Amino acid sequence: MPKTRKRHYSHSRSKSRSHSRSNSKRKKVNDNEKDHEGNKKAEVVDSPNHKRSVSSQRAQRSRQYERGSSAERRYKRSNRRSPTSKKHRNQEKNTTKKKHTRRSLSQEKHTPKAPSVQDDDEGHLIYKVGNILHDRYKIIGTLGEGTFGKVVQVKDSQLDQNVALKIIKNVEKYREAAKLEINVLEKLADKDPECVHLCVKMLDWFDYHGHMCIAFEMLGLSVFDFLKDNSYQPYPLNQVRHIGYQLCYSVKFLHDNKLTHTDLKPENILFVDSSYDVSYNNKKKKDVKKVKKTNVRLIDFGSATFDHEHHSTIVSTRHYRAPEVILELGWSQPCDVWSIGCILFELYLGITLFQTHDNKEHLAMMQRILGEIPERMAKKSKTRYFHKGKLKWDEKSSAGRYVKDNCKPLMRYKQCDELDHNQLFDLILKMLKYEPLTRITLKEALRHSFFDKISKNQRLGDHGSGDKRERSMSI
């Protein structure tokens, strides 16, 4: 059984709470960003020292090795063919070595610089509680920080309410990535002005002296942060059902509009209100929290990709990455379905299904949990993970023993053999089909028997709409 993660705060995690009331800050993370560019990682070294310490090393693994800003990945995808991108990166390195008071190009042309507006060494806006931005937003306090910038709680004088304001760094790649996210949010708002499909509501956006700022509705903790704060105590099955149902409904809306989220994870699912009750658990011998209301919103559209747009080779956060992405076979909407299957497992057990940061080990875990990877996919992949359609994997190595000792067939993770639990795992199994063409669609998932117990007041919309099946055109 996979070990409970010792999760470390990373930049991407802070993004997940970009609209929450948390005041925690995040550590900088830049490890393994090459993984997001499709580069291959080195294979595990099977040395005596490695064998001896593998267990403790595994326990310290965290997503910080895999995370980078999804907005940054989005920027890189949109500019991957630009011959000037390297020049821009070099310019940014030189610029961020000292404090600066840069402004957007349009402002530089038309308005004089404001000496009172300053950035720190990393490009974050320097502000104080009480400052007013854009003649409208009074800063109350900081909610979070990440690679992209900071999120602050502000009082909106026009709406006369508190909102979350995402202040992007005064760095070109983050500024451009924010514009791409704004574009997606605006198109979603056009399709769903009342946010009935549970995507986070963007209230306003503006450029403040080179800092792109996006105002969102205030929300609670992410389902991951609540899980972490609750000592990774799993959610009750009925809450897993409601959260999973809403997630399928929201992402189906994206798919129906030819959009793939590409970065679904517990950090990007926020409770509308994360207030909770506390009760004593006799089995655990400690107090546990139970969220009062499980209404959620989907956030972080910085990596969302329309069907007609360029699809970068590598997408998704490692632990929720579909096999077709790892094998570089092309991807579309079904990769989101795979991610949802991993999320349901995590909410049910409180642990990650695939706890790794290495491609070949990830594939070995899949085979241990789900069975052999189809030979057709293995042979079509141009990666060097296979020989004659079989994964090149030494089960006697330290990494091989770790996978064997800590992973088991999916159905053996069930906590009991009751009908509800069997139905959940049947749904997860259908979401984790290797072949994207055989993977369940979200329209079909919403009709699965696991969601039959969703109450009438929790049901959303018409599940019969959107006949179009999500397919991966590359496989």
Side-chain angles (χ1 to χ4, degrees):
M1 187 168 182
K3 297 181 179 181
T4 302
R5 290 170 292 177
K6 291 190 177 181
R7 307 222 194 187
H8 298 284
Y9 292 130
S10 71
H11 296 313
S12 60
R13 287 211 178 283
S14 61
K15 283 177 55 182
S16 72
R17 301 181 69 172
S18 60
H19 319 302
S20 75
R21 297 180 175 87
S22 168
N23 291 315
S24 62
K25 295 187 178 179
R26 301 295 189 260
K27 298 178 182 178
K28 298 179 189 175
V29 174
N30 50 28
D31 295 337
N32 289 336
E33 291 218 317
K34 290 182 180 178
D35 190 21
H36 291 287
E37 296 299 311
N39 294 336
K40 308 299 182 298
K41 296 183 180 177
E43 296 184 4
V44 175
V45 177
D46 189 16
S47 65
N49 290 335
H50 180 75
K51 293 177 181 179
R52 194 176 190 84
S53 62
V54 65
S55 296
S56 61
Q57 291 173 342
R58 300 282 181 181
Q60 295 300 324
R61 286 184 175 178
S62 73
R63 297 181 192 175
Q64 73 181 64
Y65 296 104
E66 294 304 324
R67 307 280 170 113
S69 166
S70 59
E72 180 177 357
R73 296 197 303 273
R74 175 79 164 157
Y75 172 78
K76 290 176 180 177
R77 178 172 68 240
S78 65
N79 292 273
R80 64 184 296 158
R81 294 191 178 92
S82 171
T84 61
S85 59
K86 185 175 181 181
K87 179 181 178 182
H88 288 162
R89 287 196 297 271
N90 292 334
Q91 289 174 343
E92 285 164 15
K93 287 180 181 178
N94 295 331
T95 305
T96 56
K97 287 181 180 179
K98 59 182 180 178
K99 290 189 177 182
H100 50 279
T101 56
R102 294 183 304 167
R103 307 178 73 183
S104 66
L105 293 178
S106 61
Q107 290 169 323
E108 288 176 352
K109 291 179 181 179
H110 303 294
T111 59
K113 292 184 178 179
S116 60
V117 178
Q118 292 186 325
D119 306 334
D120 65 16
D121 294 342
E122 297 178 4
H124 290 289
L125 176 68
I126 297 175
Y127 60 82
K128 296 180 180 178
V129 172
N131 286 165
I132 298 177
L133 308 184
H134 205 51
D135 297 323
R136 176 175 175 178
Y137 300 101
K138 184 177 181 180
I139 296 178
I140 298 174
T142 302
L143 296 174
E145 179 180 336
T147 54
F148 61 88
K150 296 183 179 181
V151 179
V152 296
Q153 182 176 349
V154 297
K155 178 66 177 293
D156 183 347
S157 60
Q158 288 190 19
L159 298 178
D160 193 28
Q161 65 183 38
N162 290 344
V163 300
L165 187 67
K166 189 176 181 178
I167 306 175
I168 307 300
K169 284 180 182 177
N170 192 352
V171 176
E172 183 178 359
K173 60 182 178 181
Y174 298 120
R175 184 165 50 246
E176 294 301 317
K179 291 177 182 178
L180 295 171
E181 181 173 10
I182 289 167
N183 177 59
V184 172
L185 290 167
E186 286 184 330
K187 290 182 177 179
L188 292 177
D190 289 340
K191 293 284 186 179
D192 182 20
E194 301 301 322
C195 294
V196 297
H197 291 93
L198 313 182
C199 297
V200 67
K201 186 173 185 178
M202 180 176 69
L203 305 173
D204 184 26
W205 68 268
F206 54 93
D207 186 336
Y208 184 76
H209 303 284
H211 297 271
M212 297 303 298
C213 299
I214 311 175
F216 294 98
E217 59 183 324
M218 282 291 296
L219 297 170
L221 293 174
S222 71
V223 298
F224 167 74
D225 285 315
F226 190 92
L227 182 70
K228 175 176 66 67
D229 293 347
N230 201 24
S231 302
Y232 298 100
Q233 178 70 23
Y235 289 91
L237 187 61
N238 66 316
Q239 293 193 338
V240 175
R241 179 185 285 112
H242 188 218
I243 294 170
Y245 172 79
Q246 293 173 90
L247 181 58
C248 289
Y249 180 80
S250 183
V251 179
K252 177 183 177 296
F253 167 68
L254 304 182
H255 292 183
D256 290 343
N257 285 282
K258 302 181 179 180
L259 190 65
T260 307
H261 188 283
T262 78
D263 198 19
L264 296 174
K265 54 187 175 182
E267 293 90 330
N268 286 339
I269 308 165
L270 269 58
F271 288 117
V272 175
D273 179 1
S274 53
S275 58
Y276 57 87
D277 293 318
V278 178
S279 60
Y280 186 75
N281 187 311
N282 288 320
K283 187 175 181 181
K284 299 286 183 179
K285 302 298 181 183
K286 62 180 180 181
D287 289 336
V288 295
K289 302 174 183 177
K290 183 177 180 181
V291 67
K292 293 180 180 180
K293 297 180 180 178
T294 47
N295 301 79
V296 297
R297 295 288 183 270
L298 182 63
I299 70 163
D300 191 358
F301 296 89
S303 297
T305 305
F306 286 100
D307 289 354
H308 68 273
E309 293 181 320
H310 171 73
H311 285 39
S312 60
T313 303
I314 301 298
V315 293
S316 304
T317 297
R318 158 68 66 191
H319 307 78
Y320 311 96
R321 188 175 295 161
E324 65 268 26
V325 178
I326 299 173
L327 298 178
E328 300 180 12
L329 296 174
W331 53 268
S332 62
Q333 280 81 6
C335 77
D336 279 347
V337 179
W338 177 281
S339 299
I340 294 174
C342 296
I343 292 169
L344 289 176
F345 179 95
E346 189 165 339
L347 299 181
Y348 174 78
L349 283 173
I351 58 175
T352 312
L353 181 56
F354 301 110
Q355 179 59 45
T356 180
H357 62 266
D358 177 80
N359 277 343
K360 193 183 291 187
E361 184 177 82
H362 197 165
L363 295 170
M365 286 181 168
M366 288 181 183
Q367 291 198 150
R368 175 76 173 159
I369 294 170
L370 301 168
E372 290 290 317
I373 295 171
E375 187 174 339
R376 188 194 70 80
M377 293 180 72
K379 288 185 175 181
K380 189 168 183 179
S381 173
K382 294 181 181 180
T383 61
R384 298 181 180 180
Y385 305 134
F386 299 89
H387 177 67
K388 295 183 179 180
K390 299 293 182 181
L391 183 67
K392 293 188 291 185
W393 182 251
D394 184 4
E395 293 186 354
K396 295 182 180 179
S397 67
S398 56
R401 290 194 299 273
Y402 170 78
V403 171
K404 184 177 181 180
D405 293 342
N406 292 277
C407 299
K408 57 188 177 183
L410 182 68
M411 300 305 285
R412 288 174 58 188
Y413 286 100
K414 285 189 302 179
Q415 298 298 290
C416 69
D417 201 37
E418 295 176 358
L419 178 61
D420 286 354
H421 296 255
N422 287 325
Q423 289 173 337
L424 170 61
F425 274 76
D426 180 73
L427 175 59
I428 292 174
L429 194 60
K430 286 179 167 63
M431 288 180 165
L432 298 182
K433 293 287 186 183
Y434 284 119
E435 295 273 8
L437 291 174
T438 62
R439 205 170 293 157
I440 193 171
T441 68
L442 295 182
K443 175 187 174 182
E444 294 165 344
L446 287 167
R447 295 174 174 174
H448 192 275
S449 57
F450 178 63
F451 294 129
D452 286 350
K453 289 187 177 180
I454 292 291
S455 62
K456 289 184 178 179
N457 64 318
Q458 291 179 332
R459 291 200 169 271
L460 301 163
D462 179 11
H463 300 163
S465 63
D467 245 351
K468 183 178 178 181
R469 184 176 178 85
E470 304 97 329
R471 297 297 191 187
S472 174
M473 304 305 293
S474 301
I475 295 184

